[in-house]
Amino acid sequence: MHSLLPIATAMYAANIAWAYNNGLAITPQMGWNTWNYFGCDISEDTILSAARTIVAENLVQHGYQYVLMDDCWQAPERDKTTGAPIADPEKFPNGIKALSDELHTMGLKFGIYSSAGQYTCGGRYGSLGYETIDAQTYASWGVDYLKYDNCYNDGRSGTPLISFERYQNMSLALNATGRPILYSMCNWGEDQPWNWATTIANSWRISGDIMDNFGRYDDRCPCTSMLDCKLPGFHCAMARIIDFAAPFGQKAGPGRWNDLDMLEVGNGGMTHDEYGGHLIFAAISPRITTNNASHSFHNVVYSQEPFDPRQRHHPYGHHTLPSYAAPSRPLTFILQTSETYSIITNDAVIAINQDAKGSPATRIWKISVEGGDLSLWSGSLVNNTFVFALLNTSPSSQTVDIDFTDVFFDDGPAHQTERLSAYIACHVDNDVSP
């Protein structure tokens, strides 16, 4: 008998050879990023406080290992003699190496930010033309992860080859240091990175910046598809990014992932159920949260028992968790309340995100309903286990009959008529029955 996991999640990965051969991100990276909550208001104290909370709340045990320092860490100018990057001495009085060492002592990994342009998106100096010295400096600081943005790129975009060459320069420089540094491209889906970043990066953004909203349309995120989008923009609602990502599963896999941008869970712009859906579909890509991790959780009860999906209950309802799951996208979050904690530590969804098989979930169908749409996603996991998901973007509850011919469309008639054991990994509607 095979296992079937009905959950609202999907995974974009293909079971083909690894492309970016630095041995990193074999499953999608998980961690916390400063940007969406703190913006430029960061410091050594901000980052260390967040890191202590991550450790104290046992998030490392759930897989969240990277602490990412985003934009605005830089001093006003580079070193006048060497051209090397320098940290803002007021924000980071002990320097970046000391910060990195402290995070490593906590059992965490350290990430840094720059841009493949003259300036970063926050107006600090970028790395365009300084790839070698910057990569060498990051390695000397003990950096484990680079988020590499796309602002002020001097017009060096517009064709896949132009963008590839610009981002390849940093890829080569990082590899030349001899230190394993996860390379996370953030070029917003410009020039179709899913077609060329697979050989130079561990992950690549597929759209404009996310906003903390479930489905609101915003003209600053104007494209209806990313396949030939000329202005990725920003303020892209979560449901729109999921829609953008649907075709790209065939392009990703172990070591190279589509990135649907950071988790907004806990930032306050969505409901509990919408954040649950956000996490579920974040399981298809790197999982980086971006919230106020320096705030501890309230009324959190921890269990020291080993994870047994058939015995533990999920906070959304009395449904058993799955025994297997598959990888997805990078994850990052903000930690403020017990509700946030319960969402981002859903072991079933994390297991799907981190599954070793790397087999994609596919959107089988999408239909319009009043106020939104309804879609079915299906995929296979390790140990002959399968996962399917329903996503409802309308404001109304929907009653849906699932045809197993659709769920197992890629798996053939034998599975379509077979007796299965089903487990609810996660749902965000109390009317859902197992």
Side-chain angles (χ1 to χ4, degrees):
M1 184 179 294
H2 304 303
S3 297
L4 178 69
L5 308 180
I7 66 172
T9 189
M11 168 189 156
Y12 301 91
N15 192 16
I16 55 179
W18 302 344
Y20 186 54
N21 192 23
N22 62 3
L24 301 174
I26 303 309
T27 59
Q29 61 266 33
M30 296 174 62
W32 176 81
N33 181 291
T34 60
W35 183 254
N36 282 9
Y37 189 88
F38 290 104
C40 279
D41 189 18
I42 60 170
S43 67
E44 177 181 300
D45 290 341
T46 302
I47 294 166
L48 289 178
S49 178
R52 293 185 189 106
T53 299
I54 289 168
V55 172
E57 303 294 355
N58 293 325
L59 290 169
V60 178
Q61 284 68 35
H62 289 279
Y64 296 95
Q65 59 177 324
Y66 288 100
V67 173
L68 309 181
M69 178 179 68
D70 211 287
D71 204 353
C72 304
W73 58 268
Q74 305 89 335
E77 296 181 325
R78 292 174 171 274
D79 184 285
K80 294 184 182 298
T81 302
T82 66
I86 304 173
D88 186 319
E90 293 185 4
K91 293 182 175 183
F92 300 93
N94 296 305
I96 301 301
K97 180 65 165 62
L99 173 62
S100 174
D101 288 346
E102 182 68 19
L103 293 173
H104 290 151
T105 299
M106 296 183 194
L108 298 165
K109 295 182 179 180
F110 174 57
I112 204 166
Y113 166 97
S114 191
S115 180
Q118 289 292 333
Y119 305 100
T120 69
C121 298
R124 276 60 176 177
Y125 51 78
S127 293
L128 187 64
Y130 290 86
E131 292 86 356
T132 299
I133 186 64
D134 286 4
Q136 291 172 347
T137 303
Y138 300 156
S140 72
W141 287 343
V143 167
D144 304 297
Y145 187 120
L146 173 64
K147 175 185 172 183
Y148 204 43
D149 220 327
N150 193 32
C151 287
Y152 301 101
N153 61 31
D154 285 357
R156 291 173 60 176
S157 62
T159 71
L161 180 59
I162 293 173
S163 285
F164 169 80
E165 290 175 342
R166 179 163 53 96
Y167 279 93
Q168 184 191 37
N169 289 338
M170 180 57 81
S171 176
L172 295 172
L174 291 173
N175 283 344
T177 68
R179 179 176 179 81
I181 299 176
L182 193 153
Y183 186 31
S184 177
M185 282 176 38
C186 181
N187 84 323
W188 325 317
E190 189 173 67
D191 294 332
Q192 304 88 45
W194 44 86
N195 286 329
W196 47 265
T198 56
T199 59
I200 62 171
N202 296 113
S203 63
W204 52 89
R205 281 272 303 281
I206 60 94
S207 74
D209 290 354
I210 194 172
M211 69 171 167
D212 188 15
N213 185 276
F214 181 77
R216 178 185 177 89
Y217 177 79
D218 193 304
D219 271 333
R220 289 167 290 187
C221 180
C223 295
T224 57
S225 167
M226 291 305 300
L227 292 175
D228 194 28
C229 177
K230 301 300 183 185
L231 181 60
F234 61 105
H235 271 221
C236 298
M238 183 268 287
R240 296 198 70 202
I241 293 178
I242 293 172
D243 196 55
F244 290 155
F248 301 141
Q250 60 192 293
K251 294 295 185 177
R256 60 202 197 290
W257 304 102
N258 292 300
D259 184 352
L260 281 62
D261 208 354
M262 294 174 281
L263 291 178
E264 294 281 5
V265 177
N267 283 329
M270 294 186 239
T271 67
H272 178 273
D273 286 356
E274 288 169 347
Y275 278 138
H278 184 20
L279 176 87
I280 289 160
F281 277 87
I284 62 179
S285 75
R287 186 172 193 151
I288 302 297
T289 63
T290 175
N291 45 23
N292 187 1
S294 61
H295 290 188
S296 61
F297 300 102
H298 307 288
N299 303 317
V300 178
V301 178
Y302 301 104
S303 171
Q304 299 303 318
E305 298 176 1
F307 173 53
D308 184 343
R310 296 174 187 260
Q311 295 179 10
R312 267 178 74 178
H313 292 285
H314 185 268
Y316 289 129
H318 301 292
H319 301 288
T320 53
L321 298 179
S323 45
Y324 304 107
S328 64
R329 72 167 224 177
L331 303 178
T332 39
F333 55 92
I334 296 173
L335 312 179
Q336 290 177 302
T337 66
S338 57
E339 182 176 275
T340 299
Y341 185 90
S342 71
I343 294 173
I344 65 169
T345 59
N346 182 324
D347 287 317
V349 177
I350 291 173
I352 289 167
N353 180 264
Q354 296 293 297
D355 184 81
K357 184 176 181 180
S359 176
T362 301
R363 187 165 67 185
I364 303 299
W365 49 252
K366 174 184 173 184
I367 59 175
S368 296
V369 295
E370 185 175 355
D373 52 64
L374 187 67
S375 57
L376 172 67
W377 304 71
S378 178
S380 61
L381 314 177
V382 295
N383 296 330
N384 208 24
T385 301
F386 303 87
V387 58
F388 73 86
L390 282 166
L391 177 64
N392 173 25
T393 66
S394 80
S396 303
S397 297
Q398 304 292 326
T399 299
V400 185
D401 292 326
I402 302 298
D403 189 334
F404 276 12
T405 302
D406 288 338
V407 172
F408 296 108
F409 180 80
D410 289 340
D411 301 292
H415 291 94
Q416 293 166 5
T417 58
E418 190 173 16
R419 181 176 175 81
L420 302 162
S421 297
Y423 304 94
I424 300 291
C426 181
H427 72 82
V428 291
D429 185 337
N430 290 332
D431 293 332
V432 174
S433 299

